[in-house]
Structure formats: C-alpha cells, structure tokens
Amino acid sequence: MPDTKKFIENLSGAGKCIGVLTSGGDAQGMNAAVRAVVRMGIYVGAKVYFIHEGYQGMVDGGDNIKEASWESVSSMLQVGGTVIGSARCKDFRTHEGRLRAALNLVQRGITNLCVIGGDGSLTGANLFREEWSGLLDELVQSGEISEEASQIYSALHIVGMVGSIDNDFCGTDMTIGTDSALHRIIEVVDAIMTTAQSHQRTFVLEVMGRHCGYLALVSALACGADWVLIPEMPPKDGWEEQMCYKLSENRADKKRLNIIIVAEGAIDQSNKPITTELIKDLVVRCLGFDTRVTVLGHVQRGGTPSAFDRILASRMGVEAVLALLEASPGTPACVVSLCGNQAVRVPLMECVQMTQEVQKAMDEKRFEEAVRLRGRSFENNLNTYKLLSHRKIDSELPHSSFNVAVLNVGAPAAGMNAAVRSAVRVGITEGHTMFAVSDGFEGFYKGQIKEIKWGDVGGWTGQGGSLLGTKRTLPAKHIDKIAEQMRIHNINALLVIGGFEAFESLLQLVDARSRYEEFCVPMCMLPATISNNVSGTDLSIGADTSLNAIVETCDRIKQSASGTKRRVFIIETMGGYCGYLATVGGLAAGADAAYIYEEPFDIRELQSNVEHLTEKMKTSIQRGLVLRNENCSENYTTDFIYQLYNEEGKGVFDCRKNVLGHMQQGGAPSPFDRNFGTKIAAKAMQWISKKLKEFYREGRVFANTEDSACLLGMRRRALVFQPVVQLKDETDFVHRIPKEQWWLRLRPLMKILAKYKTSYDVSDSGQLEHIVRLRAKDVSAI
C-alpha cells in the first residue's frame, strides 16, 4: 500500500505573502493565533504581514500593513485582547473602501488572508474574495495597477479563525476566547459565593451573550446555579412562580445562597427582554430575599488567555497557514474549527448561513430548532443542565430499587467533585439509591459506605481535590472483604472516578467476577487524573486545571526572566511517565523545549538545545523556558539538565530551576474540568441505568459480559463507552501510559513555534468537511 502521509517539508510558502488581521470584538487567545500564523508562515518560507486595526488598517494602508518578524510576536502568547488592534470598520462596507483595501494588498503582493474574528468579519472577508477579480479589473482600468499585476495576483485565498467570547458561531465546538471568558465568570462566581453565603443573599449575575446563551449556560453548569435564563430557551409562561418556588425550596434545604445567571440577551416567550433588575424586583417582591445584581461586562473579555485558548489558537493558526498553502483558486473560503478534539476545515459560508439560521429561528420563535442548530455541544450542555437543575419531588421519581455506589480512586484531580455531584443527582433522578464510598477501595473494604442524598452534594462543583477522599489502594488485596461489603449494602452498580489505578481496579474486579458473583454488576470508570495517562480517552478530568496551574506559573517565571535578561528556566512537571503536561504545557507557555519519556533524547539533543538557546540570546528575546517531565529519563535528571545548561551557557546565559510539585494537583477546578466532569458523569449514570435494566433477571442484577465494565472516554470527536478488557492491549502497564497518544502529534508544533526545524506529519489536515454531515455523524459527541 503506498504511503499517503503528507509532511510539512513538502509544502513551501516561498514567494507567498500572508496578511493576518483581527477584526470585530476582541477575544483572549487572538494573540496566540496571530503568533502561530506569523511563525508558521515564516517557517514555511512565506512573508507574513500584520494588518493593524482590522479592516480599517487594510483600507487605510500605509504603516498599518507591516511585515512581521519572528521576534515581533514574542511575549504575545500570554497577553489578552489583540496586540495588532481591532476596529469596527464602516469604510470596508463600501465598495470604495474595499477597492482601496485591494490596492493596498496588491501593492504588497498579499493574496492570502487569515482573518480572526466573528461571523461579521468572516462574511466581509468572503464578500471581498468574491469581488476580488472585479476590484482588480477596476484598478487596472484606473491605471493604479498593471495588467501584469492583476494576472499575478488574480486569486485571493481566505482562511478564517473564529475569535469570539460568546461561542456563537456554528461549525466549531469552541471559538477562541470562550474558555477564557468562562474562567473570568467562574472566578467572579466563586468570589461572590463566599460573600453571598455569609449574608444569605441571592445574587443575579448578568453575563455577555446578546444572541447566544453559551456563556450563561456553561457557567450555570459549572457553578451549580439555581436558575439560568438564555435567549435560545425562553422560560415557559409562569416561570416566575416556578423560579421563586425553587429558590425558597433551596433555602428551606439550608442552602444559604442563591445564584441566578442571566445572559444579556435573555427573553421570554413573547421575545420581551428579561433583565437582571426585573429578576431582582421579582425575588424581593415574592420572597423578600436580600438580593444583589452584578453585571460582569467587559471583565469577561479581559485578562490572560487560558491554557485551552492558547492551545486552541496555536493549533488553529498552524492549520490556517496549511490551509492557505494548499488553497487553489477554486477552493472556497474556509474556517478552521474544532470538532471534539480534532481540527477540521469547514466552508466559511456554510457556517455563516447556519449561524444566521439560528437567529432567524429565534426571531420566529422556533426555539427548539435554534438549540439544535447551535450544534451538539450546546444541545448536550442544555440537556445536562435540565437533568441536574430541577429536583423532582419523591412522588415524581421513578423508583428503581437499585443501589449504585460512587468512589474516587488514585490521586486527587480537580473536577472529581463535580463528577460525583452530577452522578449522585442524575442517579437520584433516575430513581436509584446512591451510596458514597470514602477513601476509595480502602474505605470500601472497611465498610465506609453510606447513602448520599441530593442536598449532600450541593456546592461541590467548585471544590478542588476529592471530598469523598481517595486512595491509591487496589482492590485485589482485599477482594473478599469488598465482595462482602457489596453484598451487605446490596450494591447493584459501581461508578469509579479516578486515574490509572481506577483502570487497574476495574480490570481486577472484572477478573474476580468468576470467583465472586457480587462483581457481576455494571461498572463504569470516568478518567480523572492530571497526568492524562489513561487508555481509551484523549482527555481526563483534572488535566485542564493542572495545565492552567503550569501555564500561570510559567508566565510568571518568563516575566521574571525577561526582567533579568539572559536567563533560562528549567521547570519540572508531574505526570509520571506521561509527557502530556510537559508537552501541552510547553505549547501553551511558549517553551523552547520539553523533555518527555515518550520521545527519547540523548546528550546530543541536550547540546543542540543549549546551542539553540545561545543563538536565541543574540536576538531581542533574551530568555528561555525548558520543561522536563519528572520521569523523562533516569539519568538526565532536572539537576543534571540544570547543571549542564549552566556549564554550557556560561558567559551567555545563567540558569534557574523550579520543581512545580503538588501545586499542579490542587486549586479550584477550571470551567472545562467542571463541565467535562459534570457531562461525562451524567452520561455514565444514564448508561448504568440502561445496563441495570438490561441485566435485571429474576429479581437480581447479573452482568458478566465484557461490555458491562466500561471506561467512558473522549475519542477524537465523540464520547465512547469502551470495555476495559479491550483497552488492556492498548496499555503499557509498566510505565502506566497508553501505547498510542494523540497529543504526541502536537510536539512538532511546539518545536516549530520555538524555531526548530522538524518533521511534521500533516496528513490529518486538508479535508474540507461539510457542516451538515459533520453534525449528523457526531451526535454522540460531547
């Protein structure tokens, strides 16, 4: 079979000029995208130009269009907003304005545009592309360009990246800036919760989203808000009484605070706005609660971009340059987007049309259709929120007479508590009796098992660590005592939330089924580990929080190094033998190198890294950042690398080292981890309910098939239940890592962006997908 692999080395940008601009509202992560476009463009041999102040700069020309250099994008990664400026441009909306813009581009030979903005900016770019040949003809007729120039520059190629904190663009799961905006909202909500609790207050929070309720919906999911109001789902008539009833019920349950989240574009069934003041007056009038309003405003656009946004924007920026290199005159303008965990290209106008259809459906009060058009990610968030938000009274609940136990196994990971809360509440809604096991399997064999009720998990989403307690103990040693406890408490299903130990535990329990019937019950594992080293899933609960802790520390360290000049920092990250944190953290923090176990290195590579940094110190960027995974090499320890760099860099740079340690495990969970934990736990409980019905025979549950013990993981685009027994072959048990890891494909990106020549397999890129097919195929995705 011929090798169909495609490598970056075979793609050349020589003779091509790329213009990069940011337009419309700013969003955190835009700078990371600009940096990636500039560096990848220069890497492939193209010239890259900054177009300052968006389309306005393109129309005005002059100094607004400047050639970018490698150094000119240094230190941009950690800065919010957009350094090259953005402006709303009336001139570009006129034919005359677009004609001037075309002249400015042709004069510099720019026929490739990378536009980072919202749907308005991208629609404008597409119109410009459609008019391009006509505009060139006009410029030839007026004598402003030659006939020859119009031939050379006859085609304009456009690739878009969506930068918008609202996540209001169809065709991508996440837009650049959304995750950072969620970080800002959650920081505020967490802070407000402590003051609200002190005074037993109700807080009404307004978040951005004039036409899209994504921020409101996900932040409500991530903080366990009592009520949320979004434009896509106006509350049914009589919602006022319902909301007040729910608030008073929560207070009666000894909950000291209420949080209501409102999107700025929230409306009722008659399309009338629902404002924060209206809600405040309603709560005060009906319940007499002490109520305060907080409007978050532009705080949500500000601050430093999250690790997720930096990685997303860097991946998108590189993909955008590849798309421009591969474009031919007939290629439609495309948008580089994210589907699950995969970068894909979708035709720009298909996305814009669907985005406009959402608004049309809302205007025509077809709200269910609007939610469907928003895409699977939005729909799943909404369904999970509905599942968790409304506590049914006992008489409304189906009664299943099944007992389900939840436990945490392994090291603590932020987001475990959000997963437990979600599992407990969904389990109760499904009619099961939920049991919590303290301290993992150690607590299990000692009988630390008790029923856990709806109210017991209130306020758990924002708590770091593991409130149930977690231990690394595996069940094999105490298997008979665990079986006895399963019998005593009549446990009919198990939900295990944890890392590699949880995976090994499930394998041991499956193995014990032939000897103990007690383990012939449905079992599900949710991956929760900062190391992200479990087979069967691309991402684990806790890894995102850990990455943010690493990136935040690296930012501070880089700042310190910039002040002292000529300084290189060696930073040790956790992860066992898995290099995920070092690699992805390195990409997000702009590291010069990341040493990991999966990619063996020798003294020659260390030497070449030192030489690379020596060269770097001759430029205006006089600092270096090197990450090292804790177990990347038995002999090349952090101390060894530090001493080697110190010795070899003598007279050129000095060195410092920093071992990050357990700060990577702590802290409040990030919005992504809260949301991911909440969603996969809800999905796992629904799977457990289905399996319990399936395996209920003659008055008892008996499940001993392979598919009754599964791991629920995210694979590229979808959430999949995979029998743990089948994942055995995919696992290296000695080093506790999967044999194949998707993120290794990101390593060349990190190297390219740090100016190393490297081989980069781009076979995954280049397929233009259609948005409708993309949605139909991925219904089970996140």
Side-chain angles (χ1 to χ4, degrees):
M1 192 178 137
D3 187 12
T4 53
K5 283 201 164 182
K6 194 168 55 168
F7 289 94
I8 186 79
E9 299 90 303
N10 308 330
L11 290 172
S12 169
K16 295 194 174 181
C17 294
I18 300 170
V20 60
L21 69 144
T22 52
S23 171
D26 66 311
Q28 308 95 320
M30 279 183 164
N31 291 325
V34 170
R35 171 182 177 267
V37 169
V38 169
R39 291 197 168 172
M40 187 64 175
I42 292 172
Y43 182 85
V44 294
K47 274 186 173 181
V48 187
Y49 288 85
F50 289 137
I51 300 173
H52 289 275
E53 313 307 335
Y55 288 117
Q56 193 64 55
M58 202 192 289
V59 173
D60 295 345
D63 275 351
N64 286 307
I65 306 177
K66 272 193 187 143
E67 191 176 343
S69 68
W70 192 275
E71 281 91 31
S72 61
V73 291
S74 173
S75 300
M76 272 170 82
L77 197 55
Q78 60 268 36
V79 181
T82 164
V83 229
I84 58 172
S86 178
R88 310 265 178 205
C89 176
K90 288 200 177 101
D91 294 346
F92 194 74
R93 291 185 178 173
T94 66
H95 183 76
E96 189 52 47
R98 292 193 291 278
L99 194 64
R100 291 206 327 261
L103 175 63
N104 288 325
L105 294 187
V106 170
Q107 283 171 344
R108 290 162 181 83
I110 300 171
T111 54
N112 296 283
L113 276 186
C114 182
V115 183
I116 307 162
D119 60 339
S121 312
L122 298 176
T123 311
N126 194 59
L127 172 65
F128 190 42
R129 178 180 165 277
E130 285 170 357
E131 290 182 352
W132 183 254
S133 56
L135 294 169
L136 293 197
D137 290 345
E138 281 183 56
L139 292 169
V140 170
Q141 280 162 12
S142 62
E144 287 177 271
I145 62 167
S146 65
E147 182 68 50
E148 188 190 1
S150 84
Q151 293 301 311
I152 298 170
Y153 306 122
S154 61
L156 178 69
H157 303 300
I158 282 173
V159 172
M161 281 185 269
V162 194
S164 155
I165 66 164
D166 293 338
N167 205 23
D168 55 356
F169 193 80
C170 294
T172 185
D173 284 357
M174 282 294 259
T175 58
I176 296 166
T178 306
D179 187 66
S180 301
L182 285 170
H183 271 260
R184 295 301 89 81
I185 296 168
I186 293 305
E187 281 158 19
V188 171
V189 174
D190 284 354
I192 276 175
M193 277 181 156
T194 53
T195 169
Q197 233 156 357
S198 308
H199 298 275
Q200 294 202 35
R201 282 193 174 133
T202 295
F203 268 86
V204 185
L205 265 87
E206 181 183 289
V207 300
M208 282 185 168
R210 213 166 311 146
H211 305 293
C212 177
Y214 185 90
L215 288 178
L217 177 59
V218 175
S219 50
L221 251 185
C223 73
D226 297 278
W227 203 265
V228 66
L229 292 150
I230 57 172
E232 293 87 346
M233 190 190 65
K236 294 187 168 58
D237 293 339
W239 64 272
E240 296 92 341
E241 291 80 36
Q242 251 185 315
M243 184 183 79
C244 289
Y245 174 73
K246 187 172 180 207
L247 298 181
S248 62
E249 193 185 35
N250 283 351
R251 279 293 168 91
D253 253 0
K254 304 205 170 48
K255 191 177 174 191
R256 293 178 61 87
L257 77 156
N258 301 110
I259 302 271
I260 301 164
I261 294 181
V262 190
E264 60 180 331
I267 47 172
D268 64 14
Q269 292 279 345
S270 333
N271 279 10
K272 280 203 202 86
I274 299 176
T275 63
T276 47
E277 285 303 324
L278 184 135
I279 293 169
K280 178 189 169 178
D281 294 345
L282 179 72
V283 174
V284 171
R285 191 177 69 246
C286 296
L287 300 169
F289 289 173
D290 185 0
T291 306
R292 298 282 191 276
V293 169
T294 301
V295 177
L296 265 64
H298 281 73
V299 164
Q300 294 158 86
R301 280 195 195 280
T304 181
S306 65
F308 183 96
D309 272 330
R310 297 182 198 196
I311 295 151
L312 173 67
S314 299
R315 283 174 76 181
M316 300 292 130
V318 167
E319 185 71 25
V321 172
L322 294 177
L324 287 171
L325 292 183
E326 292 171 6
S328 62
T331 315
C334 75
V335 170
V336 178
S337 81
L338 182 78
C339 183
N341 190 27
Q342 204 181 358
V344 292
R345 299 175 195 172
V346 278
L348 188 147
M349 284 322 287
E350 279 185 24
C351 298
V352 168
Q353 274 152 9
M354 192 170 273
T355 305
Q356 288 165 350
E357 273 178 48
V358 177
Q359 194 51 50
K360 192 168 171 240
M362 281 159 64
D363 292 341
E364 291 169 6
K365 300 187 184 179
R366 291 181 287 116
F367 295 110
E368 276 177 25
E369 174 76 353
V371 167
R372 197 182 59 73
L373 288 169
R374 274 270 180 249
R376 68 219 166 97
S377 172
F378 190 92
E379 210 169 350
N380 283 342
N381 281 319
L382 189 55
N383 292 339
T384 309
Y385 180 79
K386 284 178 180 169
L387 205 58
L388 290 167
S389 62
H390 297 299
R391 180 178 180 178
K392 292 178 177 167
I393 47 177
D394 290 345
S395 58
E396 291 176 336
L397 290 172
H399 189 61
S400 74
S401 75
F402 291 127
N403 297 339
V404 181
V406 185
L407 66 156
N408 294 158
V409 177
M416 275 182 163
N417 299 321
V420 172
R421 168 189 176 267
S422 172
V424 166
R425 292 196 169 175
V426 173
I428 291 169
T429 306
E430 300 266 319
H432 311 315
T433 305
M434 298 300 294
F435 285 86
V437 182
S438 303
D439 301 335
F441 283 105
E442 197 165 304
F444 211 133
Y445 86 82
K446 289 176 182 168
Q448 295 169 2
I449 303 167
K450 60 175 198 296
E451 191 182 340
I452 186 163
K453 298 267 190 13
W454 184 283
D456 298 336
V457 289
W460 277 32
T461 37
Q463 306 263 10
S466 162
L467 292 169
L468 286 183
T470 181
K471 286 272 194 291
R472 292 179 185 270
T473 314
L474 296 177
K477 269 194 280 185
H478 311 284
I479 203 84
D480 50 341
K481 287 185 180 162
I482 293 170
E484 190 188 336
Q485 291 297 334
M486 293 276 289
R487 198 165 52 251
I488 292 168
H489 294 276
N490 188 23
I491 303 294
N492 308 114
L494 277 182
L495 179 65
V496 183
I497 302 165
F500 202 87
E501 290 87 359
F503 175 57
E504 288 180 300
S505 300
L506 229 58
L507 286 170
Q508 290 181 0
L509 295 180
V510 170
D511 191 48
R513 279 177 167 176
S514 55
R515 304 189 306 283
Y516 300 93
E517 275 197 2
E518 289 82 355
F519 300 123
C520 295
V521 296
M523 300 187 233
C524 185
M525 176 199 158
L526 301 180
T529 164
I530 66 164
S531 306
N532 195 27
N533 63 332
V534 179
S535 297
T537 189
D538 289 357
L539 300 169
S540 306
I541 299 166
D544 183 69
T545 305
S546 191
L547 273 180
N548 278 294
I550 292 168
V551 167
E552 208 175 301
T553 309
C554 288
D555 285 353
R556 292 182 183 189
I557 285 170
K558 270 169 79 175
Q559 204 170 28
S560 129
S562 300
T564 45
K565 297 273 188 294
R566 298 179 181 279
R567 181 161 285 176
V568 174
F569 274 88
I570 318 283
I571 293 170
E572 183 185 299
T573 67
M574 285 170 105
Y577 283 95
C578 178
Y580 176 80
L581 290 178
T583 298
V584 183
L587 181 61
D592 295 281
Y595 300 119
I596 62 168
Y597 165 77
E598 292 91 342
E599 201 173 274
F601 57 97
D602 57 19
I603 195 75
R604 282 178 293 280
E605 188 167 338
L606 289 169
Q607 183 62 39
S608 97
N609 290 152
V610 172
E611 285 161 13
H612 189 88
L613 282 164
T614 308
E615 282 305 302
K616 187 179 174 184
M617 295 299 161
K618 293 176 185 168
T619 70
S620 56
I621 322 168
Q622 297 182 349
R623 56 174 162 66
L625 186 69
V626 174
L627 269 60
R628 178 191 174 274
N629 160 264
E630 58 183 352
N631 287 350
C632 67
S633 161
E634 205 179 327
N635 296 312
Y636 298 136
T637 61
T638 303
D639 282 336
F640 177 91
I641 293 174
Y642 162 67
Q643 284 161 352
L644 178 87
Y645 271 63
N646 237 345
E647 185 60 36
E648 297 291 318
K650 247 189 198 147
V652 184
F653 57 79
D654 68 354
C655 229
R656 294 286 183 275
K657 64 172 180 191
N658 204 322
V659 177
L660 299 183
H662 281 74
M663 56 86 72
Q664 295 162 85
Q665 239 176 44
S670 67
F672 181 90
D673 279 331
R674 297 180 193 201
N675 196 0
F676 186 51
T678 300
K679 280 200 283 195
I680 65 171
K683 201 174 173 76
M685 281 311 300
Q686 289 173 317
W687 176 87
I688 283 174
S689 295
K690 196 176 95 200
K691 292 289 172 194
L692 282 168
K693 289 188 189 94
E694 201 178 300
F695 292 112
Y696 187 68
R697 295 275 181 284
E698 296 160 18
R700 70 182 190 126
V701 174
F702 186 82
N704 66 349
T705 55
E706 277 190 2
D707 69 349
S708 64
C710 281
L711 177 146
L712 171 56
M714 184 184 179
R715 278 273 170 106
R716 282 172 88 98
R717 299 189 180 189
L719 285 174
V720 218
F721 289 96
Q722 302 143 98
V724 284
V725 176
Q726 290 174 20
L727 294 173
K728 258 166 104 166
D729 295 341
E730 296 179 24
T731 308
D732 168 356
F733 284 93
V734 177
H735 298 101
R736 299 157 61 89
I737 51 173
K739 287 178 185 169
E740 279 191 25
Q741 304 186 83
W742 70 273
W743 52 264
L744 285 168
R745 293 200 304 275
L746 297 181
R747 280 187 70 78
L749 292 196
M750 190 192 77
K751 290 177 183 173
I752 287 169
L753 297 176
K755 215 174 186 175
Y756 282 92
K757 286 282 172 213
T758 186
S759 182
Y760 179 34
D761 179 0
V762 292
S763 320
D764 254 7
S765 306
Q767 291 80 30
L768 192 68
E769 302 204 3
H770 291 284
I771 191 166
V772 185
R773 201 196 79 207
L774 191 132
R775 287 202 59 250
K777 197 168 60 179
D778 297 319
V779 284
S780 69
I782 233 178

